[in-house]
Amino acid sequence: MTTAELDNLQIIKESARDFAEKYIRPEFMKWDESQFFPVDLFRKMGEFGFMGVLVPEQYGGSGLGYQEYVTIIDEIAKVCGSIGLSLAAHNSLCTNHILTFGNEEQKQKYLPKLATGEWIGAWGLTEPNTGSDAGRMECVAVEDGDYFIINGTKNFITHGKSGNVAVLIARTGERLDSHGMTAFVIERGTLGFAGGKKENKLGMRASETAEMVFENCRVHKSQVLGKVGDGFIQALKILDGGRISIAALSLGIAHGAYEAALAYSKQREQFGKPIFSFQAISFKLAEMATKVELAEILIRKAADLKNAGEKATKIYAMAKYYASEVSVEVATDGIQIFGGYGYIKDFPAEKYYRDSKLCTIGEGTTEIQKLVIARYL
């Protein structure tokens, strides 16, 4: 990167950090405890340009690239993984799907509202019985003249109840046919489209995860994204960018857990001196710092490749796999350094620990990432 690009990245980093400290840190534990999804916070993030990071300025977005995007997610997730997760899902899934595969009319209609935070987006692929095995999905869209009639349920959907617009992948052909699924963009309020059960989660509790239910939902063909039958192929391409998003989210949680543990180790005294002075603690922190640094290097490489338009699925999967596992490892070590206080909600370590685990599951489990990587070896 050039000096000017690095300077600009630093400005964006400071902006995201300041936002997180001012608007998120004072409330994040209250949101976590009550599982409150702070919709107004995302409207505020829209004012700062965080809701349409990758969207061109002509559609009301920030017109930035993946390096800036990684930086913003990292800084937000350092303070709260839940907010980082919702921000990542909004940007990389719903908004990016419309940006990448929508026609000009669809882009003009939806992107300005999503990019400014006026609307929050959802993206529906997963179903109760089809997680990684998406080819067997049961949510079906049947052609009916100029419309499709959609029936089925999606679950584990970020913003499944509160999202103003959703990109839905539904089956329009035979099971296991990679060209048997179609993407639709559907507005909240469409007859037959409703939010379902909201999940009670271990972590990421301020990020809404819920069902989307479709009962004889009548959607005009103008709401199809791209071509009929291309939905699954589109979803795989969107998940490439999604892997970078979750990697950045993982990085932020790991950064937060490491920094909290480091600060605590210098304050906490045992046997008359700070616990950092003990080799058992300092070596653990050295390992944590190295893992975080390596994760960021891999993520930055992935961001460069994505900016260049490279089809580098292997690297994107490596970044997601490695960063998410590092997030769990660093958060676990953070608990250990805090000792008994690591288990107490008055201290930050336990929330990083709870939030980190989702990163190894969402948008493709660690096992799926290994499968993807192996295919490219």
Side-chain angles (χ1 to χ4, degrees):
M1 298 180 75
T2 66
T3 301
E5 288 172 333
L6 288 171
D7 288 344
N8 187 54
L9 200 61
Q10 184 60 32
I11 291 169
I12 290 168
K13 183 183 184 76
E14 291 171 2
S15 174
R17 181 181 295 170
D18 291 346
F19 182 95
E21 291 297 329
K22 182 175 181 180
Y23 295 105
I24 300 174
R25 191 173 294 282
E27 305 289 340
F28 77 99
M29 279 306 294
K30 182 170 70 176
W31 297 335
D32 181 81
E33 288 288 308
S34 61
Q35 298 198 76
F36 176 73
F37 177 54
V39 173
D40 289 343
L41 176 74
F42 291 88
R43 311 271 189 252
K44 177 65 69 175
M45 282 201 278
E47 296 175 17
F48 281 73
F50 299 159
M51 295 291 276
V53 180
L54 304 169
V55 176
E57 293 180 24
Q58 71 188 85
Y59 302 117
S62 300
L64 299 172
Y66 273 85
Q67 293 293 357
E68 293 85 356
Y69 179 53
V70 165
T71 298
I72 291 167
I73 297 296
D74 179 20
E75 289 299 325
I76 297 296
K78 278 183 188 179
V79 175
C80 181
S82 293
I83 305 305
L85 171 61
S86 276
L87 185 62
H90 172 91
N91 272 280
S92 72
L93 298 179
C94 178
T95 304
N96 195 41
H97 199 135
I98 296 170
L99 173 64
T100 305
F101 296 106
N103 58 38
E104 189 59 30
E105 183 180 350
Q106 291 165 338
K107 291 178 184 179
Q108 293 283 359
K109 183 176 182 180
Y110 295 112
L111 291 179
K113 292 181 178 181
L114 289 164
T116 58
E118 179 183 348
W119 279 12
I120 292 171
W123 192 79
L125 178 65
T126 302
E127 297 182 4
N129 294 314
T130 58
S132 302
D133 188 13
R136 299 180 194 272
M137 68 172 55
E138 295 296 328
C139 184
V140 175
V142 178
E143 197 169 351
D144 181 27
D146 289 334
Y147 292 83
F148 281 90
I149 309 300
I150 303 175
N151 282 283
T153 299
K154 298 290 181 177
N155 75 331
F156 297 147
I157 306 303
T158 306
H159 315 144
K161 295 186 77 167
S162 295
N164 303 93
V165 64
V167 171
L168 169 74
I169 316 299
R171 186 160 58 81
T172 50
E174 298 299 319
R175 288 185 184 86
L176 303 179
D177 179 1
S178 61
H179 291 281
M181 287 163 268
T182 300
F184 300 86
V185 55
I186 308 175
E187 295 178 32
R188 185 73 60 181
T190 301
L191 192 64
F193 171 30
K197 175 190 174 187
K198 180 179 176 179
E199 303 296 347
N200 184 5
K201 298 177 295 182
L202 168 71
M204 302 291 197
R205 289 166 62 82
S207 176
E208 179 186 274
T209 303
E211 292 177 327
M212 293 195 304
V213 180
F214 299 88
E215 294 183 10
N216 295 320
C217 180
R218 191 173 175 83
V219 178
H220 194 267
K221 288 182 176 179
S222 63
Q223 300 303 105
V224 171
L225 287 165
K227 296 179 181 178
V228 171
D230 281 357
F232 186 64
I233 307 300
Q234 293 175 11
L236 293 180
K237 292 177 180 177
I238 292 303
L239 286 170
D240 264 356
R243 290 183 177 112
I244 297 175
S245 286
I246 301 301
L249 175 65
S250 304
L251 179 66
I253 293 170
H255 263 140
Y258 162 70
E259 290 174 5
L262 178 63
Y264 181 79
S265 74
K266 294 178 178 180
Q267 298 164 1
R268 171 70 166 169
E269 291 190 358
Q270 290 287 273
F271 307 103
K273 52 187 176 181
I275 62 172
F276 181 83
S277 64
F278 298 108
Q279 192 177 80
I281 300 299
S282 63
F283 275 20
K284 191 179 289 292
L285 285 158
E287 291 171 1
M288 294 162 72
T290 303
K291 290 175 182 177
V292 173
E293 190 77 16
L294 285 170
E296 180 159 13
I297 290 169
L298 187 52
I299 294 166
R300 294 293 177 183
K301 177 178 180 178
D304 271 344
L305 291 168
K306 191 67 175 168
N307 280 340
E310 298 285 340
K311 190 180 185 304
T313 301
K314 180 183 75 171
I315 299 299
Y316 306 148
M318 284 179 170
K320 198 275 187 187
Y321 154 54
Y322 185 72
S324 64
E325 291 294 334
V326 161
S327 185
V328 173
E329 291 166 11
V330 170
T332 302
D333 286 342
I335 290 269
Q336 199 69 18
I337 288 170
F338 272 84
Y341 291 110
Y343 214 68
I344 304 299
K345 286 184 178 290
D346 292 340
F347 291 79
E350 64 87 28
K351 184 174 184 298
Y352 289 122
Y353 181 73
R354 288 187 290 108
D355 287 348
S356 66
K357 188 56 192 171
L358 185 276
C359 297
T360 69
I361 299 170
E363 292 193 39
T365 62
T366 288
E367 291 72 23
I368 289 293
Q369 304 311 318
K370 289 179 181 179
L371 180 65
V372 170
I373 295 163
R375 284 174 176 169
Y376 283 88
L377 296 183

